[in-house]
Amino acid sequence: MTDQKNESTRRTSSPSAVHAAHATTSARPSRRDALILGAGVAAGWTGLVGAANAQTSKDAPKEVRLDYAYYSPTSLVLRRFGWLEEDLAKDGIGVRWVLSAGSNRALEYLNAGSIDIGSTAGLAALLARANGNPIRAPYIFSRPEWTALVVRGDSGIRSLADLKGKKVAATKGTDPYLFLLRALHTAGLKRADIEHVGLQHADGRAALEQGRVDAWAGLDPLMAASELDAGSRLLYRNVGFNTYGFLNVREDFLARHPREVQRVILAYERARQWTIAHPSDAAKILSEEAKVSLPVALLQVKLRTDFSQPRPSDEHVKALQAAAPILTAEQLVRPGVDLNRAIAELVDTRFAAGLVKA
């Protein structure tokens, strides 16, 4: 994976819903339109940015390194319009963007110190934190239904029980992989009951469509593309098993540069509010960046992603507490690890309290 410089749910996937969303698509946003969120929102955002800028530490970093990901549409919006660059440039701080192909990649980059801020699924972040990755999550970029278990349209597999003994592709260390394990447990199966094929998300999709695996734990927008373009079928869906999208920060960076982290969160808030106001235009950006069709991008942005709860709260803590048992049941964490403590250390419910509406 190479570093790249910046280049300034609703729960249905029916064809009719996708086409209805497509029909409402507006023209590509102009630079001027992109900068206007409405007088009230813009004024509030500008005021908060000004306050954060006024408190910028004297030892500010020369550069803030963060990822963008196709499973995080707001990161694509933020990168496209350069709002963070515009803000940080006032203090001579640069911005470097790195593409994350999945939560596992973002967590690897964070653990290695090659990025400061990275976007992942909540349960994947907890797994990493429990295993020693020193991260905290002060912001939630979305509540998506971004994963499900996928089979080919002509597959004879009709239930989770039918997966026993079958080849299933999934990317370890990601929400789709953990979703797979939780789904198997609902049918009385474990990881040992299937033949897990470890592939990165795009390779998993290809393996499914080429018949090299029987099922795939998908990730949008690849999953939506497989449905609409290749006729793949969602075998098992469970919104509750899709953990939130966490924006994670390395603890040492958060401790040394809290004002810069505030400014990143404020920029994400601007992108989130713009995405809510312009979902069709956000889908166009996703379509262009991820090189998927517009109907695929609309399916992900309009029908499978909820952008309404950005501030970490007890809701996110409880979601991780409900999901955590799979980590011990499948021996994914060291014996004796206190997962409740790891959750408390990961989910930062106070940092963004003055910046983001609950």
Side-chain angles (χ1 to χ4, degrees):
M1 192 70 60
T2 57
D3 293 358
Q4 298 186 19
K5 296 283 185 180
N6 178 46
E7 300 167 354
S8 320
T9 34
R10 277 63 69 190
R11 314 303 175 194
T12 175
S13 60
S14 66
S16 60
V18 174
H19 292 311
H22 192 181
T24 63
T25 303
S26 59
R28 182 175 179 176
S30 68
R31 177 77 172 179
R32 180 175 179 276
D33 290 340
L35 296 174
I36 299 175
L37 298 173
V41 172
W45 185 86
T46 302
L48 285 170
V49 168
N53 288 350
Q55 301 179 64
T56 298
S57 57
K58 294 181 180 179
D59 60 342
K62 293 182 180 179
E63 183 178 66
V64 174
R65 304 164 301 167
L66 65 165
D67 75 345
Y68 66 103
Y70 304 144
Y71 51 85
S72 174
T74 48
S75 73
L76 305 181
V77 170
L78 180 56
R79 179 171 174 265
R80 171 66 64 92
F81 293 121
W83 292 323
L84 182 61
E85 287 85 345
E86 290 175 5
D87 176 40
L88 294 181
K90 299 169 187 174
D91 295 299
I93 301 172
V95 175
R96 179 152 55 98
W97 294 94
V98 178
L99 175 64
S100 288
S103 293
N104 61 323
R105 293 289 186 243
L107 291 164
E108 288 169 7
Y109 300 152
L110 286 164
N111 199 37
S114 57
I115 62 173
D116 308 304
I117 300 170
S119 43
T120 75
L123 189 53
L126 173 59
L127 174 60
R129 175 80 204 199
N131 284 327
N133 196 335
I135 55 174
R136 296 185 71 85
Y139 186 79
I140 307 298
F141 61 81
S142 72
R143 170 73 190 279
E145 185 189 8
W146 52 20
T147 187
L149 297 186
V150 189
V151 295
R152 292 184 300 281
D154 61 357
S155 173
I157 296 174
R158 297 294 172 183
S159 69
L160 289 172
D162 294 337
L163 292 177
K164 187 171 183 177
K166 298 294 194 297
K167 292 182 179 180
V168 184
T171 310
K172 291 190 75 171
T174 67
D175 220 31
Y177 177 70
L178 298 170
F179 179 95
L180 166 64
L181 299 182
R182 296 179 77 185
L184 291 174
H185 276 236
T186 67
L189 300 175
K190 294 184 178 181
R191 177 176 48 176
D193 292 317
I194 63 165
E195 183 179 343
H196 170 241
V197 181
L199 295 171
Q200 195 62 41
H201 300 298
D203 296 327
R205 174 194 173 186
L208 175 73
E209 293 176 3
Q210 293 167 9
R212 292 185 282 115
V213 297
D214 301 294
W216 166 53
L219 179 70
D220 272 340
L222 295 167
M223 182 171 71
S226 191
E227 285 181 83
L228 298 186
D229 299 342
S232 297
R233 173 168 51 87
L234 301 188
L235 172 72
Y236 179 78
R237 300 172 72 174
N238 188 328
V239 174
F241 284 2
N242 286 252
T243 53
Y244 296 79
F246 280 28
L247 192 68
N248 306 290
V249 185
R250 288 191 299 107
E251 275 192 323
D252 63 336
F253 188 85
L254 182 60
R256 288 186 291 112
H257 306 297
R259 303 310 177 192
E260 286 69 44
V261 174
Q262 284 183 339
R263 293 164 78 174
V264 171
I265 290 175
L266 288 170
Y268 255 92
E269 268 297 277
R270 189 176 189 181
R272 181 184 72 89
Q273 293 176 38
W274 186 89
T275 299
I276 291 172
H278 306 85
S280 296
D281 295 328
K284 278 197 169 186
I285 292 173
L286 171 62
S287 173
E288 293 165 3
E289 293 287 337
K291 295 180 174 57
V292 296
S293 69
L294 184 56
V296 165
L298 287 165
L299 174 55
Q300 178 180 346
V301 173
K302 282 194 169 186
L303 304 178
R304 287 186 180 162
T305 309
D306 180 355
F307 299 101
S308 67
Q309 301 179 58
R311 198 170 88 188
S313 67
D314 288 343
E315 176 179 343
H316 307 103
V317 170
K318 291 176 181 176
L320 289 184
Q321 289 173 337
I326 195 67
L327 303 183
T328 52
E330 289 288 348
Q331 300 179 342
L332 298 175
V333 294
R334 298 184 303 274
V337 168
D338 186 342
L339 287 175
N340 284 327
R341 178 178 177 180
I343 292 169
E345 292 171 342
L346 172 67
V347 183
D348 192 329
T349 59
R350 294 179 297 177
F351 186 84
L355 304 174
V356 179
K357 293 181 180 180

